[in-house]
Amino acid sequence: MQVKELSAERGPLLLVHGGAGPLRADLTRDELLRGRVAGLRQALAAGWRLLAAGGSALDAAQAAVEVLEDHPLYNAGRGSVLNALGRVEMDASLMCGRTRKAGALCGARRLRNPIRAARRLLEEGRVFSEACAIEAWLSAQGETLKPPAWFITEDRVAQLEAARGTGRALLDHEGELDRRSRRAARLGLGGGDDAGTVGAVARDLAGDLAAGTSSGGMTNKLPGRIGDSPVIGAGTYADNQSLALSATGVGEAFIRTVFAHEAEARVRLAGQGLAEACGAALERVASLGGEGGCVALGRREGVLAFNSQGMYRAWADPAAGRWGLAIFQEEVLEGGRLQELTAD
Amino acid sequence: MQVKELSAERGPLLLVHGGAGPLRADLTRDELLRGRVAGLRQALAAGWRLLAAGGSALDAAQAAVEVLEDHPLYNAGRGSVLNALGRVEMDASLMCGRTRKAGALCGARRLRNPIRAARRLLEEGRVFSEACAIEAWLSAQGETLKPPAWFITEDRVAQLEAARGTGRALLDHEGELDRRSRRAARLGLGGGDDAGTVGAVARDLAGDLAAGTSSGGMTNKLPGRIGDSPVIGAGTYADNQSLALSATGVGEAFIRTVFAHEAEARVRLAGQGLAEACGAALERVASLGGEGGCVALGRREGVLAFNSQGMYRAWADPAAGRWGLAIFQEEVLEGGRLQELTAD
C-alpha cells in the first residue's frame, strides 16, 4: 500500500484521481500516458482555479470531475468503458461536507456530465436516482442530451472485444491479460489498459469540504451493474466534521465494506488520523479480495492512498507551493509551481 | 425515541419490521390494522420456523421479508406504493454477516419477491444492480415475472390520488394529511396511511447474522427515485463481528448519514452497545430532519428502535420464551408463547 500525505492546516486544498488498478507500465502506450497526464493536470487546474479565486469546494470538486468526464481517455463521461452489450452506463455522485447534502445517479446513458446531474439532484434534495428518469427530467427542462453512441470511443470498443476474449469483466486498468488481450494491447487497442473512475476532493477558503466521483464502471460488466461510485458512503462521502473522500477500485468490495464511511467513521469515532483511517479502510477492502485507492481531505491534511499497482492521481499542495501528479509508485511523475498551474 | 432491547447471549434471534413513520391511530382502519398484525405475525413465524429448525440466518431473514412482500398491505412486493406516474418501483437488499456478501437491486417492476432476486445477486457476487436487467436475466433463466399491473392494489391507487392532492411525496405512514387526504382516509381509501418498508434481521444457531430489507419507497415519489433500502450501509448491513441491521424511514436522510454502517461502526470502532449505537445513528438522521427506525441484532442482544410515531415491529424472544408485536409506543400489542408461534 502507498499512502502520501499533504499537510495544510487551513486554506484551499485539492486532490484528483483518475482511477486505480493493476496497471502495467509496458501496456501504457506513450500517447495514452501523455493524454492522461494532460487530462489530470487540466482537471487539477480547473478545480484549483476556482478554489484560488475563493470558489466553493463543491464547485471545485465538480469542475475537476467534469474535465475528466469530458476527457475521452478516462473512464467517465465520453470514453467510458462498455458493458457486455457494448453500451455505456455511467454512475456519479457528489456530496457537500457542510450540509451533508448529496446527489447520486446510476445507469446514465445520455448525460455528457453525470456529475453535473448529481449536482442538480443534490440541490433538489433528491439524493439518489436511477439516471434514465433524470435524463427525461433534464431533457424536459431543455437540457441537451447526447446520443448513447456519442460516448463510445474506438479504444473502448477494442477493449470490450479483448475483454470478451477473456470472458469476464475487466477491472479498471486491468493488467492480467490473456494472449488475445495482450495482442490487442500491443496493437494499441487498449486491451485491459482502461483508465478508471475519476474523482476529486476539495477544501475551500471557508474550510468546507466536498467530494465527487464519476465512473463508467468495468469493461464487459453485466448490464445494470452499479458500482460504488454512486453509492454515498461507499465511493463518495463528505462531512466537514471529518473528511471528504472519493474512491476508485473494485466497486463490489468498496460497497460491501462501505469504504468511504468506514474511513470517515474511523476519523470521527475512533480518532484516527486520515492516513491511518484510509489505510485501514483499504485493508478491509483487501480482506475481501478487492483493491483500489482513494483521495481524501481532512480538516488538516490530504491523503492519496492505494493498494493496487498504481493510481492516476494529482494534488495541489499550497503549503509547498507546488502541484504534482503520479501514476505508479513514483513520488512525483510531473509537477511544478502551483501558481503556474493555472497560468495557461 | 423508543428503544426496546432483547437479551440473548446465544441461539436464534429474529426481529421483523414493517415500516416506520408518523402513523396516526385514528387513521388506521380496523381491518387494515388486523391485516397488518396478521402479516407481521406470519413473517415472524416464517423466519422463526427456519431458525428453530437449525436454518441459516440468511434464509430466515429472506423468508420473513418474502412474507411481507407477498402481503398486499405492506409497502413491498405486491401492494407497494405508487410513484408519481402510478407505477410500482421496488428496492431490496440482503446481506450475510458471516461472509459480508451482499445483493441489492433498485427499480424492480416485475419481481414478485425482490428480496429473492437480491439473494441471487448475493450468491452470484453481483452485489448491486438496476433491476430491469435482473428481470431480463431471471426471465431468460425461465423465472416467471409478474406484469407491472399485478403489483397495484386499490388502496395504493387511492393513496396516490390523495398524495397528488397534497402535491408531494408522502412518507411511509404519513399522518399529516390535508383535507382531501383526510377524506380519502375517512373513506377507507388509504390516504397517507401506507404501511412501510419491510425488513428482518436474524441470528442462527451457528451465531451467524443476516439482514434484509425490501420497499416500494414513497407514495408519489419521482420516477427513478432510489431510497435507502437497496443501499448497503444505509438501509441494510450485516457483519458477524458487530451487527445485522435493517432500517426504515425517510430514505434520503438514511443515505446521507449512512445509517446502518453508522450504527455498525459505533459498535465495532467505538465499543458502544447496540441500543446506544442505534439511538445515536437515529439522532444523526433526526439532525437532518429525518425520522424512522430500525431492527438490529448484535452478538448478545436485539434492538428495536424508532424516533417516529410508530414502527410496525415484531420479535422472537427465546430468553423469555415469547414472541411479541407492536405498532405504536405500546410495549406489546399482541404476543404469545414462542412455541405456539409456529404451531399453526
Side-chain angles (χ1 to χ4, degrees):
Chain A
M1 189 179 319
Q2 183 179 317
V3 179
K4 177 186 173 71
E5 277 192 86
L6 304 177
S7 177
E9 292 278 342
R10 60 184 62 81
L13 269 177
L14 179 67
L15 306 178
V16 178
H17 73 77
L23 17 177
R24 285 174 52 148
D26 58 315
L27 289 179
T28 304
R29 286 172 290 145
D30 277 357
E31 71 271 30
L32 199 61
L33 186 69
R34 277 199 302 274
R36 287 183 183 157
V37 164
L40 259 186
R41 182 184 168 153
Q42 287 159 18
L44 190 73
W48 188 253
R49 198 171 287 123
L50 287 172
L51 286 178
S56 75
L58 201 56
D59 284 341
Q62 180 184 337
V65 169
E66 280 190 19
V67 168
L68 294 176
E69 284 179 336
D70 284 340
H71 200 292
L73 295 179
Y74 282 97
N75 178 18
R78 183 161 175 271
S80 284
V81 300
L82 306 182
N83 72 10
L85 298 178
R87 296 181 187 152
V88 163
E89 289 184 349
M90 301 171 287
D91 301 332
S93 65
L94 188 66
M95 187 161 182
C96 169
R98 182 171 57 78
T99 60
R100 280 185 287 163
K101 285 186 180 179
L105 69 165
C106 55
R109 297 177 185 190
R110 297 181 291 165
L111 297 171
R112 174 179 157 180
N113 292 109
I115 197 75
R116 197 178 298 187
R119 177 64 176 269
R120 285 293 304 275
L121 293 174
L122 182 154
E123 304 286 0
E124 304 263 347
R126 291 179 64 172
V127 185
F128 195 13
S129 183
E130 185 274 322
C132 283
I134 301 307
E135 291 170 353
W137 173 61
L138 292 172
S139 178
Q141 294 177 18
E143 282 208 30
T144 307
L145 303 178
K146 296 290 186 186
W150 179 84
F151 295 88
I152 299 176
T153 61
E154 276 183 36
D155 262 17
R156 298 306 189 188
V157 173
Q159 200 169 26
L160 175 62
E161 280 165 13
R164 280 174 172 159
T166 69
R168 62 196 175 86
L170 291 179
L171 311 183
D172 290 349
H173 309 301
E174 178 76 54
E176 295 301 311
L177 307 176
D178 69 359
R179 199 167 51 181
R180 183 168 164 186
S181 304
R182 286 175 191 278
R183 190 171 63 86
R186 272 202 309 277
L187 293 171
L189 295 174
D193 179 43
D194 43 347
T197 298
V198 309
V201 289
R203 186 181 71 190
D204 59 28
L205 268 170
D208 291 331
L209 303 176
T213 310
S214 185
S215 180
M218 288 160 69
T219 300
N220 203 27
K221 66 183 179 182
L222 289 166
R225 181 258 189 187
I226 304 171
D228 62 313
S229 301
V231 178
I232 296 300
T236 302
Y237 204 70
D239 185 341
N240 273 7
Q241 208 188 334
S242 44
L243 62 72
L245 186 150
S246 170
T248 167
V250 181
E252 283 70 13
F254 283 73
I255 291 175
R256 289 166 61 199
T257 59
V258 201
F259 177 82
H261 190 261
E262 173 72 21
E264 196 271 339
R266 285 177 177 270
V267 170
R268 177 168 44 86
L269 297 173
Q272 294 184 0
L274 190 62
E276 181 187 6
C278 292
L282 275 177
E283 273 167 24
R284 285 175 70 84
V285 165
S287 76
L288 296 181
E291 62 172 36
C294 68
V295 292
L297 287 178
R299 294 169 59 83
R300 288 177 300 277
E301 73 271 75
V303 163
L304 306 96
F306 56 97
N307 65 0
S308 49
Q309 202 187 352
M311 178 171 81
Y312 288 82
R313 58 200 188 276
W315 56 90
D317 184 352
R322 296 188 69 80
W323 67 273
L325 181 157
I327 301 176
F328 297 97
Q329 299 283 335
E330 75 278 321
E331 181 64 18
V332 185
L333 178 69
E334 212 179 286
R337 293 171 58 194
L338 197 47
Q339 64 199 67
E340 288 160 9
L341 175 65
T342 52
D344 43 77
Chain B
M1 188 178 321
Q2 182 178 320
V3 179
K4 177 187 173 69
E5 277 192 87
L6 303 178
S7 177
E9 291 278 340
R10 61 183 63 80
L13 269 177
L14 180 66
L15 306 178
V16 178
H17 73 77
L23 16 178
R24 286 175 51 150
D26 59 316
L27 289 178
T28 304
R29 285 173 289 143
D30 277 357
E31 70 272 29
L32 200 60
L33 185 68
R34 276 199 302 273
R36 286 181 183 158
V37 164
L40 260 186
R41 181 183 167 152
Q42 286 160 18
L44 190 72
W48 189 252
R49 199 170 286 122
L50 287 173
L51 286 178
S56 76
L58 201 56
D59 284 342
Q62 179 185 337
V65 169
E66 280 190 19
V67 168
L68 294 176
E69 285 178 336
D70 284 340
H71 199 292
L73 296 178
Y74 281 96
N75 178 18
R78 183 159 176 270
S80 283
V81 300
L82 306 181
N83 73 9
L85 297 178
R87 294 180 189 153
V88 163
E89 289 183 349
M90 300 170 287
D91 301 333
S93 65
L94 188 65
M95 187 161 185
C96 169
R98 181 171 58 79
T99 59
R100 281 185 285 163
K101 285 187 178 178
L105 69 166
C106 56
R109 297 177 185 189
R110 295 180 293 164
L111 296 172
R112 173 178 158 179
N113 292 109
I115 197 75
R116 198 178 298 187
R119 176 64 176 269
R120 285 293 303 275
L121 293 174
L122 181 155
E123 305 285 359
E124 303 263 347
R126 292 178 63 173
V127 185
F128 195 14
S129 181
E130 186 274 323
C132 283
I134 301 308
E135 292 169 353
W137 173 61
L138 291 172
S139 178
Q141 293 177 19
E143 282 209 30
T144 307
L145 303 178
K146 295 291 184 185
W150 179 83
F151 294 88
I152 300 176
T153 61
E154 277 184 36
D155 262 17
R156 298 306 191 190
V157 173
Q159 201 170 26
L160 175 62
E161 280 166 12
R164 280 174 173 159
T166 70
R168 62 197 174 87
L170 291 179
L171 312 183
D172 290 350
H173 309 299
E174 178 76 55
E176 295 302 311
L177 306 175
D178 70 359
R179 199 167 50 181
R180 182 169 164 186
S181 304
R182 285 177 192 277
R183 191 170 63 85
R186 270 203 308 277
L187 293 171
L189 295 174
D193 179 42
D194 42 347
T197 297
V198 308
V201 288
R203 186 181 72 191
D204 59 28
L205 269 172
D208 290 331
L209 302 176
T213 311
S214 185
S215 180
M218 288 160 71
T219 300
N220 205 26
K221 66 183 179 181
L222 289 165
R225 180 258 189 187
I226 304 171
D228 63 312
S229 300
V231 179
I232 296 300
T236 303
Y237 204 68
D239 185 340
N240 272 8
Q241 209 189 331
S242 44
L243 62 71
L245 186 152
S246 170
T248 168
V250 181
E252 283 70 13
F254 283 73
I255 291 174
R256 289 165 61 199
T257 59
V258 200
F259 177 83
H261 190 261
E262 173 72 21
E264 196 271 340
R266 285 177 176 271
V267 170
R268 177 169 44 86
L269 297 173
Q272 294 184 359
L274 190 62
E276 181 186 6
C278 291
L282 274 177
E283 273 166 23
R284 285 174 71 84
V285 165
S287 77
L288 296 181
E291 61 171 35
C294 69
V295 292
L297 288 177
R299 294 168 60 82
R300 287 177 300 276
E301 72 271 76
V303 163
L304 306 96
F306 56 96
N307 65 359
S308 49
Q309 202 189 351
M311 178 171 79
Y312 288 82
R313 58 200 188 276
W315 57 90
D317 185 352
R322 295 188 69 80
W323 67 273
L325 183 156
I327 300 175
F328 296 97
Q329 299 283 336
E330 76 278 326
E331 181 64 18
V332 185
L333 178 69
E334 210 178 287
R337 293 171 60 193
L338 197 47
Q339 64 199 66
E340 288 160 8
L341 175 64
T342 52
D344 42 75

